[in-house]
Each structure stands twice: as structure tokens, then as C-alpha cells.
Amino acid sequence: MKMGIDEQRSTKMEITNVNEYEAIAKEKLPKMIYDYYASGAEDQWTLKENRDAFSRILFRPRILIDVSKIDMTTTVLGYKISMPIMIAPTAMQKMAHPDGEYATARAASAAGTIMTLSSWATSSVEEVTSTGPGIRFFQLYVYKDRNVVVQLVRRAERAGFKAIALTVDTPRLGRREADIRNRFALPPHLVLKNFEGLDIGKMDRTNDSGLASYVASQVDRSLSWKVQLDINSIPWFYKILINACIIKGQLLYMLAIIQLLEGSADCSLYLDVKWLQTITTLPILVKGVMTADDAKLAVQVGAAGIVVSNHGARQLDYAPATISCLEEVVKVAQGRIPVFLDGGIRRGTDVFKALALGACGVFIGRPVVFSLAAEGEAGVRKVLQMLRDEFELTMALSGCCSLKDITRSHILTEGDMHRARL
Ligand code: FNR
């Protein structure tokens, strides 16, 4: 029997796993938009590696454990959520579907999990809040004009967002060659809503990627761990002490002196993350940490958490997969602050592997925009449901009834196998 067109379409829509949404998105979206969502930087080695690295981690399942009840709930920065799977910030979601960030916010709330809204969203913080209750984080790019940042953070705070995810891996935009070829720019009927009314809400068509030009003109590439001091306003004895610390490479002592100086009103001091802490009471997650060294600094400056991320392989190509960096970051954090991971999460088994290596939760990026393109809010709901079901099954088949039962000994990494051969 021949199927009607509608029937064929609905059969096609019988999605059985998260990956299948990408092909549908590719079919539905204009090439410029699909390419923007899908691309990684340059050779896209890291893009592939973000997935491949998961496939090199194997399970050591435990058997004959009563798994009739499985609890996936957890707490993130004090907020209880239904599962350790959250939504990463992805820019410009109305290019995927007219409901854009509204649909994502509703789907996340329905699933009882957290959505992170991008600075470069096509819906404003207030609009997303108007969709109804939900736990939401706001992702921040630091603009050269710090007044813009202050206004934006305050608006997010007033709108009820619960944390700031400070993206630290984008002093410049990575070379996404498809965007350069397509001369990527935000379609003219859309704007970066959080900046509407300011003359930084537009992204013009340029000779290459409009987004890369936008970042080059607006984003503060001097953002750093380093301390920026108005040296003239510092008492002379502190100057000598700080100079001595710099010469001896004593960062910790230098930070201690700066803590002292912060109490002194006439000294203008900025450690960028510290500066952010002076303009908001919201906890700050540092998103984009890939090494133990930076994890150490994130703990020192008082970050509320770390997101191990390579920006979905869109920044520095040949950076390792995030799952390969997770353990060294977790080791340094020593449980003082939670460590999360994003990059390549497409299966419940990936979630389990990340938790076994010490993550407190994971975030997903592309699956959200691809499912939005395919089916709007229903698609995002389905993605979250499929990942939840797969994760629950992985827990059951590994012999884990709650997240605390997931341990390092439930998995086998390449490093473990290598050590076992020695
Ligand atoms: C992103 N990402 C991102 N990150 C961020 O801090 N601010 C942003 O505006 C965006 N925008 C964005 C757009 C698109 C289309 C993608 C694919 C990614 C990175 C994102 O938060 C996350 O780190 C990755 O997407 C995670 O990897 P996966 O799940 O896409 O493999």
C-alpha cells in the first residue's frame, strides 16, 4: 500500500534517537542557517573528536542489583532538577523555528531542567521569562562597553535568571569556514533581542562571516584572569609588594594583596571575574575551561562552578574532546565547586560517562537547535525525553539507582586500558 505525503512525513518524524534530528534540520533549513548550527572550526577535527572520544570509553556494568526504582534527580547551584541534563546556550534560535527561545524555555521547564539563554538570543531575557516559570541561567559575553554588560546582567537578574554562565573561550570567533563562504549574517527580520535599541543589536553582511566581524568589533578580547590595576591610584607600599609578586610569579600572594586593596575605595581594581562579582549577586559559572591550570584559577577567583567546554568545537580546532579533559579539571576542583561538561552529548550513555568521570551534570547544544528546526517545542521536549530515557536505561543496566551510585569504576577509559597493559 502506498503512503500519502502526510503519512510519509509523519513516518519520517518517528525519531528514535537524538542524532536523527540533524538530517531533518538539514533538509528543512536554508543552507546558511544549517551550516551555522552544524559547523565546527577549520578542519572540524575537534567536532568529530567530541563524539569519537565518547565511543572510546567502555562500561564495566554491575549486575544483580535491584534497579526497580531509579532516581535521576539532582541539585545544581541549589536548584533541584529532574535529571543531570541541561540546555547549553545556543545563539539565534529563531533562525531554526519562529518560536525560537520561547519553545526551548517551555520544553526545558516541562522537563524540569535548566535552560541557559545566550547573550545572542533572538528573544530577550524578559521575553523568555514571560513564557512561565522555570530555572534559567544567562550566558554572558563580555562586551568592550562594560556599561552594556552591567545593564544586561542586571536585566537578567531582575528577570529571575539564577546564574551567569560567563563564556571565556571567545576572545575572537573561531574560523568556521562554512560561515565565511556563506557570508553568514542574522536574517534581516531578526535581531539580537537583548541588545535591541542599542546600535549593537545588528549583525551586518560582510565579506566573510558577519558574526566574526561582530565579535571583533564588540566583544572584549582583553578579558582575562590577569589583574588590571589603575596603578596610579595604589599606595606605594602595595605597588612594591605587587611588583615583587609579579617578579616571583606568586599569583596567590598577589591575589591576597588585591583582596586587601578591594576594601580601599579609591583604587580601581579589576580581576574580570571578580569585577563581574561586584555587579551581580548571581553565582558565576566559568564556561570554556579545558585545563587543570585554568580550573585552579577559576576556583581561586570564586567561580560557583566550571563548565568544561570547547564551545561545541567551534573555537580552537585540535583542542581535545571535552570528555578527555574532564577528569583533570575535576581533580583540581576537588569537590569545592561543581564541574559540568558540554560537547558531543548525544546519548544517555554519554551522560553516564561524563558523570562517572566526575561531572555533576551536562549541557546539550546542537540537539536543541536541530530538534527545534524539525518540530519546534515538541522536538526539544522529545530530545530531552529521549536522553532521559536512555540515561535511565544506562543507569539500570550498569546497576545504579541514583546519581551517587555512578562511580569511576563503572567505566573504562583508554588510559585505564593502557595502564592495564603495562
Ligand atoms: C553555541 N555555543 C554557544 N556558547 C555560548 O557560550 N554562547 C553562545 O551564544 C553559543 N552559541 C552557539 C550556537 C551554536 C549553533 C552552537 C552549536 C553552539 C556553544 C554551546 O553553548 C555549547 O558549548 C556546545 O554547543 C556544546 O556542544 P554540542 O552539544 O553542540 O556538541
Side-chain angles (χ1 to χ4, degrees):
M1 204 169 58
K2 237 181 162 188
M3 275 193 287
I5 289 187
D6 278 341
E7 221 176 326
Q8 279 178 24
R9 203 168 279 146
S10 74
T11 307
K12 246 207 241 157
M13 286 298 222
E14 260 173 37
I15 300 286
T16 53
N17 69 65
V18 163
N19 283 311
E20 288 168 5
Y21 275 120
E22 178 162 3
I24 300 174
K26 188 171 187 181
E27 205 177 278
K28 278 192 135 178
L29 291 173
K31 180 173 163 38
M32 179 190 80
I33 293 170
Y34 168 76
D35 283 352
Y36 168 72
Y37 288 147
S39 295
E42 299 183 359
D43 295 335
Q44 307 193 99
W45 182 87
T46 300
L47 185 65
K48 185 166 177 297
E49 177 66 3
N50 267 358
R51 288 292 310 130
D52 289 352
F54 276 111
S55 70
R56 297 193 296 265
I57 300 173
L58 306 179
F59 286 115
R60 300 180 69 243
R62 298 297 310 275
I63 49 156
L64 292 179
I65 292 169
D66 177 357
V67 289
S68 49
K69 279 205 191 83
I70 299 226
D71 177 12
M72 288 181 287
T73 59
T74 188
T75 300
V76 170
L77 303 183
Y79 298 97
K80 190 158 188 206
I81 54 175
S82 68
M83 58 180 173
I85 305 166
M86 297 165 278
I87 294 186
T90 49
M92 303 177 250
Q93 295 184 357
K94 282 193 180 170
M95 295 193 308
H97 189 277
D99 296 342
E101 293 84 3
Y102 288 69
T104 306
R106 290 193 185 106
S109 296
T113 192
I114 292 167
M115 170 205 186
T116 315
L117 182 73
S118 167
S119 277
W120 296 338
T122 37
S123 313
S124 66
V125 284
E126 293 84 6
E127 285 172 333
V128 167
T129 297
S130 77
T131 61
I135 305 157
R136 297 174 189 122
F137 295 169
F138 180 70
Q139 175 270 327
L140 183 71
Y141 284 120
V142 175
Y143 277 58
K144 288 176 187 165
D145 182 346
R146 293 296 170 98
N147 286 326
V148 170
V149 180
V150 173
Q151 296 311 318
L152 197 52
V153 168
R154 300 233 160 105
R155 275 173 60 198
E157 205 169 334
R158 270 199 305 273
F161 282 68
K162 303 295 186 211
I164 300 290
L166 173 67
T167 300
V168 291
D169 57 15
T170 313
R172 293 172 60 178
L173 206 71
R175 254 182 92 78
R176 304 157 194 176
E177 293 179 355
D179 292 351
I180 296 169
R181 275 192 295 272
N182 296 332
R183 308 219 186 304
F184 173 79
L186 188 60
H189 66 287
L190 297 173
V191 281
L192 301 182
K193 271 285 187 154
N194 288 315
F195 305 99
E196 202 177 22
L198 303 170
D199 62 354
I200 52 175
K202 292 236 156 55
M203 189 187 306
D204 299 321
R205 268 189 166 244
T206 59
N207 286 337
D208 50 35
S209 160
L211 186 59
S213 308
Y214 181 82
V215 170
S217 68
Q218 302 295 347
V219 170
D220 185 355
R221 63 173 74 164
S222 76
L223 189 74
S224 65
W225 298 119
K226 86 178 179 312
V227 187
Q228 296 170 3
L229 304 170
D230 177 0
I231 205 83
N232 294 323
S233 65
I234 297 175
W236 62 268
F237 52 93
Y238 281 122
K239 273 189 217 170
I240 294 171
L241 274 176
I242 289 171
N243 276 333
C245 293
I246 291 170
I247 291 163
K248 297 201 114 197
Q250 300 279 15
L251 183 69
L252 267 175
Y253 286 130
M254 192 168 80
L255 284 169
I257 295 167
I258 282 150
Q259 292 277 5
L260 272 174
L261 276 167
E262 270 182 344
S264 149
D266 51 350
C267 298
S268 56
L269 302 169
Y270 298 101
L271 185 66
D272 287 317
V273 179
K274 289 239 167 240
W275 169 75
L276 201 51
Q277 285 163 342
T278 67
I279 64 163
T280 180
T281 54
L282 294 179
I284 297 165
L285 296 175
V286 179
K287 174 177 183 281
V289 169
M290 291 284 285
T291 62
D293 299 326
D294 282 329
K296 218 176 277 173
L297 290 166
V299 173
Q300 276 171 13
V301 299
I306 289 172
V307 185
V308 174
S309 172
N310 54 28
H311 211 111
R314 293 158 79 78
Q315 287 298 102
L316 180 63
D317 200 18
Y318 297 97
T322 49
I323 193 70
S324 311
C325 304
L326 177 61
E327 215 168 9
E328 72 171 77
V329 172
V330 167
K331 246 182 215 150
V332 164
Q334 290 175 347
R336 287 173 291 179
I337 58 174
V339 176
F340 304 95
L341 172 131
D342 74 22
I345 299 278
R346 302 292 180 268
R347 288 283 188 185
T349 50
D350 301 334
V351 182
F352 187 102
K353 289 169 185 177
L355 266 60
L357 285 167
C360 294
V362 300
F363 291 85
I364 52 167
R366 289 181 184 82
V368 170
V369 283
F370 291 148
S371 59
L372 252 186
E375 293 183 302
E377 182 186 332
V380 184
R381 281 181 184 240
K382 204 158 174 184
V383 157
L384 292 169
Q385 187 63 46
M386 285 188 294
L387 286 176
R388 173 203 291 275
D389 291 346
E390 287 180 11
F391 178 53
E392 187 189 33
L393 181 62
T394 310
M395 285 179 69
L397 297 179
S398 301
C400 299
C401 299
S402 72
L403 302 192
K404 70 173 174 13
D405 295 337
I406 301 175
T407 66
R408 181 65 177 78
S409 65
H410 283 96
I411 57 161
L412 205 54
T413 64
E414 272 190 311
D416 299 336
M417 292 179 248
H418 179 71
R419 277 186 291 278
R421 279 195 295 269
L422 290 179

